[in-house]
């Protein structure tokens, strides 16, 4: 959400990737800022374009409850919001660009289909680098 708030594009990386796979994703993403868990430091040494780097000292968390977050863009914006990488089943993982509109619409439709309520709590057992976990859990 913070990445979206500043109008940037998120590129979540699967933490189960090998260091080589992480390097390939980082090189393809052409980053200007890299924020990562300090445990993955060894996999971030070959990023393309010399992005600014910020290592999180520990896994951050937010206090429970509403946070009053609103997107900084119009709901129907076609601007890129996130790039999720494919599984790479036919070669290297490929970046798939999702717009703000796309992510919002998918989340709304899933919420209606599964009858989510504002006070529902979801247990997301997949890494948020997977589009399904990030969008459905949004």
């Amino acid at each position: 959400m913070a990445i979206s708030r500043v109008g940037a594009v998120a590129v979540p990386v699967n933490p189960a990737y090998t260091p080589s796979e992480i390097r390939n994703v980082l090189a393809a993403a052409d980053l200007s800022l890299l924020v990562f868990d300090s445990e993955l430091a060894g996999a971030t040494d070959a990023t393309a374009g010399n992005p600014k780097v910020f290592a999180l000292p520990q896994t951050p968390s937010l206090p429970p409850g509403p946070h009053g977050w609103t997107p900084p863009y119009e709901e129907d914006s076609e601007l890129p919001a996130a790039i999720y990488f494919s599984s790479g089943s036919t070669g290297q993982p490929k970046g798939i660009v999702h717009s703000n509109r796309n992510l919002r619409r998918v989340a709304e439709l899933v919420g209606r289909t599964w009858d989510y309520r504002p006070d529902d709590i979801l247990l997301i057992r997949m890494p948020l680098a997977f589009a399904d976990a990030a969008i459905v859990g949004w």
Side-chain angles (χ1 to χ4, degrees):
M1 289 182 187
I3 293 169
S4 175
R5 186 75 175 149
V6 299
V9 178
V11 184
V13 178
N14 184 345
Y17 279 171
T18 66
S20 175
E21 290 170 321
I22 291 173
R23 283 191 282 278
N24 287 336
V25 168
L26 296 179
D30 190 26
L31 305 173
S32 52
L33 173 66
L34 173 62
V35 179
F36 65 94
D37 184 315
S38 56
E39 293 178 20
L40 298 176
T44 64
D45 58 0
T47 57
N50 298 317
K52 293 179 183 174
V53 176
F54 179 74
L56 298 172
Q58 60 184 1
T59 303
S61 62
L62 293 173
H67 300 284
W69 181 83
T70 56
Y73 47 78
E74 294 183 28
E75 291 181 14
D76 289 332
S77 173
E78 291 299 328
L79 294 172
I83 302 172
Y84 290 96
F85 277 77
S86 69
S87 64
S89 59
T90 61
Q92 292 297 326
K94 294 159 188 66
I96 302 162
V97 179
H98 294 269
S99 70
N100 294 307
R101 180 181 182 176
N102 167 254
L103 295 178
R104 183 174 182 89
R105 295 294 182 253
V106 170
E108 287 174 350
L109 291 172
V110 168
R112 282 188 215 146
T113 301
W114 291 354
D115 197 27
Y116 284 163
R117 305 288 178 188
D119 57 344
D120 285 344
I121 297 172
L122 301 177
L123 172 63
I124 302 172
R125 296 193 46 165
M126 296 172 64
L128 294 177
F130 294 110
D132 181 64
I135 298 168
V136 172
W138 188 62

